[in-house]
């Protein structure tokens, strides 16, 4: 088994999908959490100057979704067929496209609040309707078992619900999917033991 070391801030953020996959596959890793104050000096030593990074036997991988794909690749989490794998990637990319619209690093608080509000009330309902329609009566987004697309939905929606608690009120099926993910024993165990952070 390779030696894994994950580096990210002390928050869920972009590293949480990686942590979910590690938890579900029962893979041991070092969860290195750095403080924001230490980031400037660490930043210059990291390829592309962004985290999370995952060191695999000393080889540095970057980009959270690329890392997640690498870890899920030869497991059912990736989808059981090439067609399912494409569908899993499509849902993940759809969610990530939306989450990337938010100006998370915006320093002007008024501007940040305004854009967040516009996205949550203008764009989010369309995305949620599309996701609800895609899910339909199925238990999971793709195929007949959990994939990392379901994990990513849980992680993204948890963040969005912090910003707008009534977001899923008219989408009970999407809320049920979140609960189904969080009830998986390995994920439930991780959620219980992980450091408590807002995001």
């Amino acid at each position: 088994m390779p030696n894994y070391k994950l580096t990210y801030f002390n928050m869920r953020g972009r590293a949480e999908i990686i942590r979910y996959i590690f938890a579900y596959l029962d893979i041991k890793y070092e969860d290195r959490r750095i403080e924001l104050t230490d980031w400037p000096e660490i930043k210059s030593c990291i390829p592309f100057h962004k985290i999370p990074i995952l060191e695999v036997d000393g080889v540095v991988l970057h980009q959270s979704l690329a890392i997640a794909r690498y870890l899920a690749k030869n497991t059912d989490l990736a989808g059981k067929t090439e067609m399912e794998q494409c569908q899993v990637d499509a849902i993940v990319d759809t969610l990530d496209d939306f989450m990337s619209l938010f100006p998370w690093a915006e320093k002007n608080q008024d501007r940040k609040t305004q854009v967040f509000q516009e996205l949550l009330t203008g764009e989010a309902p369309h995305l949620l309707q599309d996701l609800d329609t895609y899910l339909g009566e199925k238990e999971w987004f793709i195929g007949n078992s959990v994939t990392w697309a379901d994990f990513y939905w849980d992680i993204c929606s948890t963040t969005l619900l912090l910003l707008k608690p009534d977001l899923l009120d008219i989408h009970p099926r999407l809320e049920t999917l979140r609960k189904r993910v969080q009830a998986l024993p390995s994920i439930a165990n991780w959620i219980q033991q992980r450091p408590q952070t807002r995001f």
Side-chain angles (χ1 to χ4, degrees):
M1 183 64 84
N3 190 324
Y4 295 109
K5 179 178 176 182
L6 177 66
T7 300
Y8 194 59
F9 300 115
N10 184 27
M11 57 170 68
R12 297 189 304 277
R14 286 205 158 269
E16 197 63 9
I17 186 62
I18 300 164
R19 298 183 186 122
Y20 264 49
I21 293 169
F22 275 139
Y24 186 80
L25 297 176
D26 194 24
I27 294 172
K28 300 276 177 286
Y29 68 105
E30 181 186 339
D31 190 13
R32 180 190 180 206
R33 292 170 181 250
I34 62 171
E35 295 307 318
L36 285 167
T37 47
D38 297 330
W39 173 233
E41 61 181 86
I42 296 169
K43 188 174 181 176
S44 59
C45 313
I46 288 178
F48 300 94
H49 316 296
K50 287 189 173 155
I51 48 179
I53 55 165
L54 180 68
E55 293 170 66
V56 184
D57 288 338
V59 176
V60 179
L61 303 177
H62 72 289
Q63 282 287 355
S64 58
L65 299 186
I67 294 167
R69 280 190 186 95
Y70 163 74
L71 294 172
K73 195 173 179 80
N74 296 314
T75 74
D76 284 350
L77 281 182
K80 291 178 178 166
T81 63
E82 287 188 359
M83 182 79 78
E84 283 190 6
Q85 286 164 15
C86 180
Q87 292 172 307
V88 168
D89 281 348
I91 288 292
V92 168
D93 289 346
T94 297
L95 287 166
D96 201 58
D97 282 350
F98 181 67
M99 298 304 281
S100 298
L101 295 175
F102 288 85
W104 301 101
E106 174 63 61
K107 299 281 189 281
N108 180 329
Q109 206 49 52
D110 290 342
R111 167 94 187 113
K112 186 173 184 174
T113 304
Q114 183 195 342
V115 177
F116 269 62
Q117 205 48 43
E118 285 168 5
L119 288 168
L120 291 165
T121 56
E123 303 281 326
H126 300 294
L127 172 67
L128 295 173
Q129 187 53 61
D130 287 344
L131 288 168
D132 197 325
T133 302
Y134 190 90
L135 178 63
E137 300 300 328
K138 305 194 303 288
E139 273 195 33
W140 309 102
F141 271 130
I142 291 104
N144 58 6
S145 61
V146 69
T147 66
W148 72 283
D150 301 303
F151 291 173
Y152 204 52
W153 161 244
D154 177 45
I155 291 161
C156 294
S157 59
T158 297
T159 299
L160 294 173
L161 284 165
L162 281 171
L163 304 167
K164 195 173 189 309
D166 65 351
L167 200 65
L168 294 179
D169 287 4
I170 59 166
H171 296 289
R173 295 188 297 200
L174 292 176
E175 178 58 30
T176 299
L177 177 57
R178 293 182 68 239
K179 293 197 167 107
R180 193 172 283 132
V181 169
Q182 292 176 14
L184 294 165
S186 53
I187 300 299
N189 185 40
W190 166 246
I191 289 171
Q192 199 177 351
Q193 59 160 298
R194 71 186 174 193
Q196 293 305 306
T197 57
R198 181 155 187 249
F199 287 114

